[in-house]
């Protein structure tokens, strides 16, 4: 009997049609590798949700086939889901030094460090993973030790970029491996799987060093303390703050747990350099003249519990904003965070600070000309845009057509789509289970759309609990109904309304008992419907109604 021919499949479980929770699966026969395992932060309507991770049902079904998880860089949208994935899959993790350092911190918190094998990648690394041969190449991004993977398969070579831009003057002095990418292009690339985040932005993304010059100018001219907020993972920017502080004889204090952790890891791994005397504890800030201090802080997105937001509200334990402070927001608002950022800026102005919130940021993602450069260097037969919302992937597809990739050889995938390669021919060949899993506290996936709908209803119109005790023998009302209102109306000012509601419930139950209706589910449904209609007529609100019926 002839052996069935194996095929290469590329399956996105995250990172397409959205920003965040990146995860891509590569499968050939009985071998699977995974690139990235990220999270995304909840959208506004996801009430109470902490984070969102990819649905890995497909990987759990095939866990014995997984040969490794390969991580492009250390941002949360690429590593944040790993602790939850590794609780269900025991797979080795591959990444660069800084990336593994950040992952190690997460696994320690989740008690997974001892059971997880991690392997460090360098520019010379080649990993044999079943049918796959994976090589790492460096790229530029807003965090050091970023790169992509050249994945050799029996079907051909796939280049997976991760997040990238081409920075010819990078802060760490390590430019992108352009020569490697060109060599892959000469060798022949079956498919390019590439970041689309800045596909709508024309031209080139400026170098991170442009921000360094502005930071240096601010630090040199500020009459008092400089408080600079940026992303806790932007090690390059933090390095430029430290460099500017040292050049102008200032001390640097770091506030915000995630930023303190990341700086410690970066210094240990040699990704951030600072003189021993430069960094001081936040408790010691007031021991130095204001013009001799720089404070690095989290909170550039106006997060309610972040260090900068608490400083702006005068609620931080150690540091308070005072007139004469210069506060710099070295970032641009993530879509959806604009109102939080605006609120924080307003509070900073009220506290008397001089606030700089424009022009001290460049993106870590390549703009249109860099995306074209990646396409021209690799010259892929097929192109798969990922890491971005649908409109970004669509624009990236149009850029690919401009540089010569035929439209029929471009695939914009949905979560769970299986892109199959057989003898050099590509087609979408079915779907696997995919989507989002919501994390609320310690609960993983136990909050779904129905729970979110109930939370939304509670947040809008509140809840009314109806408690009534019926006789076991006769079915008549023995006590109650008692109505408890939370978030619906203020009881003391709505006594007449609630009295009428009580009588309505009593009459409804009496009528049902007279009609020999004694099933609790029927009684509860009737109470809920009658009370719901009455309250909507009286208030134009629809609170959640929760009948509790007891027997005695």
């Amino acid at each position: 009997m002839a052996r069935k021919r194996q095929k290469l499949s590329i399956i996105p479980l995250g990172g397409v049609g959205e920003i965040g929770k990146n995860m891509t699966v590569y499968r050939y026969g009985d071998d699977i590798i995974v690139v990235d395992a990220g999270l995304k932060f909840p959208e506004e309507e996801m009430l109470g949700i902490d984070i969102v991770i990819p649905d890995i049902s497909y990987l759990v079904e095939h866990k014995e086939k997984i040969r490794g998880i390969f991580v492009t860089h250390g941002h949360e949208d690429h590593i944040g889901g790993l602790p939850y994935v590794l609780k269900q899959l025991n797979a080795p993790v591959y990444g660069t030094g800084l990336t593994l350092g950040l992952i190690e911190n997460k696994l320690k918190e989740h008690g997974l460090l001892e059971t997880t094998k991690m392997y460090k990648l360098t520019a010379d690394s080649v990993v044999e993973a079943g049918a796959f041969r994976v090589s790492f190449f460096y790229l530029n991004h807003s965090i050091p030790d970023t790169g992509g993977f050249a994945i050799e398969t029996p079907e051909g070579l796939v280049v997976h970029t991760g997040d990238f831009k081409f920075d010819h003057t990078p802060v760490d002095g390590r430019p992108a491996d352009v020569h490697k990418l060109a060599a892959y292009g000469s060798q022949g690339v079956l498919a390019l799987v590439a970041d689309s985040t800045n596909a709508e932005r024309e031209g080139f993304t400026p170098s991170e060093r442009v921000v360094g010059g502005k930071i240096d100018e601010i630090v040199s001219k500020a009459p008092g303390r400089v408080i600079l907020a940026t992303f806790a993972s932007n090690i390059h920017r933090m390095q430029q703050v430290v460099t500017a502080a040292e050049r102008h004889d200032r001390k640097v204090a770091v506030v915000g747990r995630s930023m303190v952790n990341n700086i410690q890891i970066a210094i240990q791994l040699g990704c951030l350099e600072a003189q021993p005397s430069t960094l001081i504890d936040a408790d010691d800030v007031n021991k130095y003249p204001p013009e001799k201090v720089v404070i690095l802080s989290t909170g550039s997105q106006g997060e309610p519990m972040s260090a900068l937001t608490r400083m702006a509200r005068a609620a931080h334990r150690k540091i308070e904003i005072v007139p004469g402070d210069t506060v710099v927001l070295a970032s641009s608002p993530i879509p959806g965070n604009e109102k939080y950022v605006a609120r924080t800026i307003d509070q900073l102005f009220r506290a008397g600070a001089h606030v700089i919130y424009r022009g001290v940021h460049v993106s870590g993602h390549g703009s249109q000309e860099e995306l074209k450069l990646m396409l021209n260097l690799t010259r892929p037969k097929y192109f798969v845009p990922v890491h971005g919302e649908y409109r970004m992937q669509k624009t990236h597809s149009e850029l690919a057509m401009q540089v010569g990739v035929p439209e029929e050889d471009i695939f914009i995938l949905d979560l769970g789509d299986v892109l199959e390669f057989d003898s050099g021919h590509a087609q979408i060949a079915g779907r696997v289970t995919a989507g989002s899993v919501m994390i609320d506290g310690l609960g993983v996936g136990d909050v779904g759309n129905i729970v979110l709908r109930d939370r939304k209803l509670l947040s809008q119109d509140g809840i009314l609990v109806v408690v009534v005790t019926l006789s076991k023998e006769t079915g008549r009302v023995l006590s109650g109904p008692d109505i408890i209102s939370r978030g619906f109306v203020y009881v003391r000012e709505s006594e007449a309304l609630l009295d009428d509601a009580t009588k309505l419930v009593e009459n409804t139950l009496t009528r049902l008992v007279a009609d020999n209706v004694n099933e609790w589910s029927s009684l509860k449904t009737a109470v809920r419907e009658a009370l719901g209609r009455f309250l909507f007529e009286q208030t134009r609100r629809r609170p959640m109604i929760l009948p509790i019926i007891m027997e005695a």
Side-chain angles (χ1 to χ4, degrees), residues 33 37 69 104 184 194 296 318 328 343 364 401 408 435 500 545:
I33 61 169
I69 300 173
E104 191 175 300
Y184 297 143
L296 258 173
K318 299 179 179 179
V328 184
R343 188 184 304 151
M401 284 186 268
E408 62 272 17
D500 289 344
I545 298 169

Side-chain angles (χ1 to χ4, degrees), residues 16-34:
V16 296
E18 61 188 349
I19 299 290
K21 72 180 183 70
N22 295 287
M23 176 181 274
T24 308
V25 173
Y26 291 86
R27 178 173 179 177
Y28 187 87
D30 287 334
D31 296 309
I32 290 175
I33 61 169
V34 181

Side-chain angles (χ1 to χ4, degrees), residues 25 45 53 67 104 109 132 141 151-152 175 198 208 214 216 237 272 310 316-317 355 371 404 506 535 551:
V25 173
E45 63 272 16
I53 62 171
R67 308 294 172 239
E104 191 175 300
E109 287 179 15
F132 301 98
H141 190 40
I151 305 167
E152 293 179 54
N198 265 1
E208 179 65 28
K214 290 176 181 174
D216 189 84
R237 196 152 299 165
L272 190 148
R310 283 184 285 134
H316 196 276
R317 285 189 304 116
V355 188
L371 301 185
E506 194 169 358
L535 293 174
E551 280 186 342

Side-chain angles (χ1 to χ4, degrees), residues 208 211 215 228-232 234 237 297-303 308 328-334 337 341 345 356-363:
E208 179 65 28
V211 178
I215 289 171
L228 187 140
T230 189
F231 295 109
N234 199 334
R237 196 152 299 165
S297 170
T298 55
S300 62
Q301 296 301 304
E303 305 95 319
L308 183 67
V328 184
L329 273 70
S331 65
S332 58
I334 294 170
N337 287 354
V341 174
I345 291 170
I356 301 170
Y357 54 95
R358 291 194 185 98
V360 192
H361 178 66
V362 296
S363 175

Side-chain angles (χ1 to χ4, degrees), residues 120-172:
K120 184 180 173 182
L121 297 175
T122 67
D124 302 319
S125 297
V126 179
V127 179
E128 302 285 348
F132 301 98
R133 194 165 185 266
V134 185
S135 305
F136 178 79
F137 56 87
Y138 281 106
L139 289 169
N140 306 119
H141 190 40
S142 53
I143 186 171
D145 264 7
T146 291
F149 298 108
I151 305 167
E152 293 179 54
T153 79
E155 276 291 325
L157 178 67
V158 178
V159 174
H160 186 117
T161 70
D163 295 351
F164 79 95
K165 71 177 186 180
F166 289 107
D167 191 337
H168 301 293
T169 56
V171 173
D172 61 2

Side-chain angles (χ1 to χ4, degrees), residues 380-455:
K381 182 177 180 183
Y382 295 101
F383 175 55
V384 184
V386 292
H387 303 173
E389 293 171 3
Y390 183 83
R391 69 180 192 277
M392 302 166 186
Q393 294 168 35
K394 185 69 177 171
T395 306
H396 201 174
S397 301
E398 291 164 2
L399 296 175
M401 284 186 268
Q402 288 175 25
V403 299
V405 181
E407 186 175 1
E408 62 272 17
D409 293 340
I410 298 171
F411 292 90
I412 300 179
L413 304 179
D414 285 326
L415 290 180
D417 280 350
V418 179
L419 179 59
E420 199 171 79
F421 297 84
D422 185 8
S423 303
H425 175 71
Q427 63 176 0
I428 294 177
R431 288 182 56 78
V432 303
T433 302
S436 295
V437 173
M438 288 174 273
I439 312 284
D440 184 3
L442 296 176
V444 179
D446 58 351
V447 175
N449 291 330
I450 293 171
V451 174
L452 287 180
R453 186 196 65 197
D454 287 348
R455 288 181 179 181

